[in-house]
Amino acid sequence: MKSKFTWGHGMVLALAGFIAFILGMIFFYTRGYQTSEMVSENYYEDELIYQDVIDAKTAAASLAEKPVYTQNADGIRITFPKQFTNANSKFKFFLFRTEDSNLDIKKETELDSNNSIFIPAKAGILKDGSYTLKLNWKENSGKAYQIDYNLIWTSH
């Protein structure tokens, strides 16, 4: 006896195909994209001094004029208010790459003649993607400041 392909068979095949597709999306597709990393290797030690970070962010938020960043094909420029200079402050910046800590950039630096810091795009230092820019600076009096910016770098 020969059986015919009916609409009931088609419904079962369609439902089985849909279930297979959803399971494939859940189990296979997501495996390759779980690349989140911890932001810090010394997570617990950093957590103990987090009150200092909160105080630095509060101090920066209370400034009348805050540092700003701009991006172009040459790189990223961070311009500080005139009240902060190399003579009265020390400056650091951190560029944390969201999904790959090997692309992080951490540097203690000085301001140039334009009262700014320049992060060049040359030699592939900056790779396309999402970064968190953390600006830290401390006045000689001991008062600390921190501002965080989320930015997306694309080579123009």
Side-chain angles (χ1 to χ4, degrees):
M1 174 175 203
K2 208 175 195 184
S3 70
K4 290 185 171 184
F5 188 80
T6 65
W7 66 269
H9 295 115
M11 290 292 290
V12 169
L13 285 176
L15 185 59
F18 178 73
I19 291 171
F21 172 75
I22 295 300
L23 290 175
M25 293 295 288
I26 291 171
F27 293 114
F28 300 116
Y29 183 75
T30 58
R31 284 184 185 246
Y33 291 95
Q34 294 182 2
T35 58
S36 277
E37 297 184 5
M38 288 185 68
V39 173
S40 172
E41 294 291 326
N42 304 319
Y43 175 77
Y44 294 106
E45 292 84 3
D46 291 348
E47 195 65 30
L48 292 174
I49 59 168
Y50 197 69
Q51 184 60 45
D52 296 338
V53 173
I54 293 170
D55 294 341
K57 287 183 176 186
T58 303
S62 68
L63 290 172
E65 188 180 354
K66 297 171 181 56
V68 294
Y69 76 92
T70 55
Q71 296 177 222
N72 62 28
D74 298 329
I76 300 169
R77 180 168 301 279
I78 308 158
T79 305
F80 282 82
K82 297 294 180 196
Q83 71 194 55
F84 300 107
T85 64
N86 290 327
N88 69 9
S89 302
K90 299 210 179 295
F91 303 90
K92 290 189 269 184
F93 72 85
F94 304 99
L95 267 174
F96 289 108
R97 182 60 185 253
T98 306
E99 72 278 353
D100 187 358
S101 64
N102 294 322
L103 298 175
D104 289 354
I105 302 170
K106 303 174 184 179
K107 189 172 181 184
E108 192 165 321
T109 188
E110 292 187 349
L111 301 179
D112 61 17
S113 60
N114 297 324
N115 219 42
S116 63
I117 297 169
F118 184 68
I119 306 167
K122 68 177 183 198
I125 293 172
L126 294 172
K127 303 286 185 193
D128 288 358
S130 173
Y131 287 91
T132 299
L133 172 62
K134 293 184 179 236
L135 302 176
N136 295 301
W137 70 102
K138 185 181 252 186
E139 291 181 310
N140 292 343
S141 66
K143 188 168 186 176
Y145 301 89
Q146 180 174 326
I147 293 181
D148 299 348
Y149 296 108
N150 292 320
L151 63 95
I152 297 178
W153 175 259
T154 56
S155 51
H156 300 264

